[in-house]
Amino acid sequence: MQKGYFGKFGGMFVPELLMPPLLEIEEAMNTIVPSESFQAEFNSILMDYVGRPSALYRCPNLSERLGFNLWLKREDLNHTGAHKINNALGQGLLCKHMGKSVLLAETGAGMHGVATATAAAMLGLECVVYMGATDVVRQSHNVRRMGLLGATVVPIESGTKTLKDAINAALRRWIADQRTTHYCFGTAAGPHPFPTLVREFQSVISREAKAQFMKKIGRLPDYVVACVGGGSNAIGAFHEFVPHSEVKLVGVEAAGTGEPGCHHSAPLNLGTPGVLHGAMSMLLQTTEGQIEPSHSIAPGLDYPGVGPEHAGLQDSGRAHYGTINDAQAYNAFMTLCRSEGILPAMESSHAVAWVLENAASIPKDSHVMVCLSGRGDKDMDIIEEYEKKFRK
Ligand SMILES: Cc1ncc(COP(=O)(O)O)c(C=O)c1O
């Protein structure tokens, strides 16, 4: 396969000025990351600081009701409350090993921003986080957390004021500051080597899950289900299972309100191939190639593009990508709260919802793993607003 490509998707569609730092990261990914000393340091941080391995938990009440075994890979229990910390600490450590002093990040839901601010504080690095002004308002709790951790949050007022605009602004800043700064990309998208680097740090999810399933049930699960924004928790949850064709891989995109013609965040289902943020992938775009606005009740899924490896997995037929709308995600959120005492992130609720909505077609006694990518404490205002609007 061509370097940095997943089938026909991927690549490095960037201005010339970005090639030197990208090639520097590629070199570091190939030499520093596999070294014994980096791996030992990273694994010790994951264990003692993040709290890994994360639990693989069988939901007793929902399993009983559904007639199959529903397992949650509890990334919500990680320090800072989501899978994002796996990648932020990996890249933070790499930044130090590369001799740089500043971690630059974009964030949508704020979880990657919090994770990067945490990694920076812990590793003694400076941290700057770019965030769309709309997201600054709807995830204000996370903005306060980043401030407490010592990060500078820069609100972005351009475009739709969400994740894609934050990435545009962060890439521009990186061009100017590349000597001192590492761009800690938060998802498995963007130009090569980011999709591969982020997958490398997130695949701890499927590595652990595989071993945990072998120990608990003596075989691999029948389904692995994960929500897809840019695609990092999903690729992390899929990676070790990709060679095992008996394991069905299901990614879940956000269908927005689900009304005809509404804005959504489902480029794999409803987009077309094109280039965004340095990679060829599936996109929401006009026939002229202008990026269309996206929407989801879950800020972390609100992105018009997707990581190129998912586009490749869809193209090859190895993974299937479904959609879930805001109301279905809200219902799944409430179901998990009330049935299992677990408050999931709105992003992760999309993955839970796919299982609930498709339960009738899942064979009895199957083993279904959902990657519970984060906890829902950050989403209290969103839930309250949704209930005011739709649950009078
Ligand atoms: C809890 C949670 N889950 C999922 C996502 C989606 O990102 P990704 O597709 O990279 O996993 C986010 C993004 O912010 C998130 O905060």
Side-chain angles (χ1 to χ4, degrees):
M1 199 181 5
Q2 212 181 330
K3 185 180 82 170
Y5 274 82
F6 308 94
K8 60 178 189 257
F9 300 102
M12 299 169 99
F13 296 82
V14 295
E16 223 173 302
L17 284 169
L18 271 184
M19 285 305 287
L22 288 171
L23 292 175
E24 191 185 359
I25 296 175
E26 184 191 41
E27 168 76 12
M29 176 175 83
N30 292 332
T31 54
I32 298 172
V33 174
S35 71
E36 224 169 274
S37 60
F38 183 92
Q39 286 296 322
E41 196 177 354
F42 184 45
N43 287 329
S44 135
I45 292 173
L46 287 180
M47 196 166 79
D48 297 331
Y49 186 68
V50 176
R52 303 205 72 92
S54 68
L56 177 69
Y57 177 69
R58 182 181 174 278
C59 295
N61 304 318
L62 281 173
S63 297
E64 172 82 29
R65 195 191 307 166
L66 294 166
F68 53 79
N69 300 281
L70 177 61
W71 297 86
L72 302 177
K73 182 63 175 153
R74 299 288 309 272
E75 294 301 299
D76 61 312
L77 296 179
N78 292 342
H79 177 45
T80 71
H83 66 297
K84 296 287 182 186
I85 193 75
N86 304 325
N87 170 52
L89 281 166
Q91 290 201 48
L93 204 54
L94 193 59
C95 170
K96 261 192 111 158
H97 280 256
M98 288 192 293
K100 305 206 177 208
S101 56
V102 185
L103 272 183
L104 169 67
E106 84 295 335
T107 197
M111 296 312 283
H112 176 58
V114 169
T116 308
T118 300
M122 189 264 203
L123 296 165
L125 300 164
E126 205 183 305
C127 182
V128 183
V129 181
Y130 280 50
M131 189 169 190
T134 302
D135 292 331
V136 168
V137 174
R138 55 182 179 168
Q139 300 282 266
S140 59
H141 177 71
N142 273 342
V143 175
R144 289 199 294 278
R145 288 171 80 194
M146 286 181 255
L148 290 172
L149 290 159
T152 305
V153 179
V154 183
I156 302 302
E157 299 286 350
S158 56
T160 52
K161 306 179 191 182
T162 56
L163 182 59
K164 98 172 152 43
D165 311 292
I167 295 176
N168 286 337
L171 284 169
R172 272 195 295 274
R173 162 95 176 232
W174 196 31
I175 288 178
D177 293 347
Q178 52 188 265
R179 200 179 48 79
T180 54
T181 300
H182 172 74
Y183 184 8
C184 181
F185 207 84
T187 189
H192 175 74
F194 285 121
T196 305
L197 183 67
V198 175
R199 183 192 69 199
E200 165 72 26
F201 294 134
Q202 290 294 3
S203 56
V204 65
I205 300 173
S206 49
R207 216 166 30 250
E208 284 176 7
K210 201 172 169 186
Q212 287 166 320
F213 271 113
M214 290 313 291
K215 196 161 171 202
K216 282 175 191 273
I217 64 169
R219 69 172 179 90
L220 299 182
D222 301 292
Y223 292 79
V224 172
V225 185
C227 68
V228 179
S232 69
N233 88 92
I235 210 66
F238 290 176
H239 186 60
E240 290 288 326
F241 295 113
V242 169
H244 301 275
S245 57
E246 72 275 23
V247 181
K248 294 179 189 63
L249 306 176
V250 181
V252 185
E253 295 192 301
T257 61
E259 291 151 5
C262 74
H263 292 315
H264 54 82
S265 306
L268 288 165
N269 281 276
L270 299 165
T272 48
V275 172
L276 176 65
H277 297 141
M280 168 69 70
S281 189
M282 297 297 283
L283 301 183
L284 304 180
Q285 58 185 338
T286 64
T287 44
E288 293 80 31
Q290 291 301 306
I291 302 304
E292 292 197 284
S294 52
H295 164 78
S296 169
I297 191 171
L301 303 185
D302 195 340
Y303 182 55
V306 65
E309 189 164 3
H310 288 292
L313 286 170
Q314 174 172 261
D315 220 30
S316 68
R318 177 63 190 94
H320 163 79
Y321 294 86
T323 56
I324 282 297
N325 65 36
D326 294 351
Q328 292 168 323
Y330 169 83
N331 289 338
F333 172 91
M334 290 309 296
T335 302
L336 205 62
C337 287
R338 298 287 162 88
S339 308
E340 302 291 348
I342 295 171
L343 224 137
M346 281 314 288
E347 291 81 8
S348 327
S349 301
H350 284 69
V352 177
W354 186 90
V355 175
L356 300 180
E357 296 291 328
N358 291 279
S361 61
I362 295 175
K364 296 293 162 209
D365 301 323
S366 298
H367 290 272
V368 179
M369 179 182 106
V370 166
C371 181
L372 203 73
S373 54
R375 65 175 188 232
D377 308 44
K378 70 181 178 60
D379 296 323
M380 292 305 95
D381 292 347
I382 291 176
I383 292 292
E384 207 178 295
E385 204 180 300
Y386 183 85
E387 289 180 338
K388 262 194 225 145
K389 249 196 204 156
F390 298 108
R391 306 252 143 190
K392 290 190 181 110

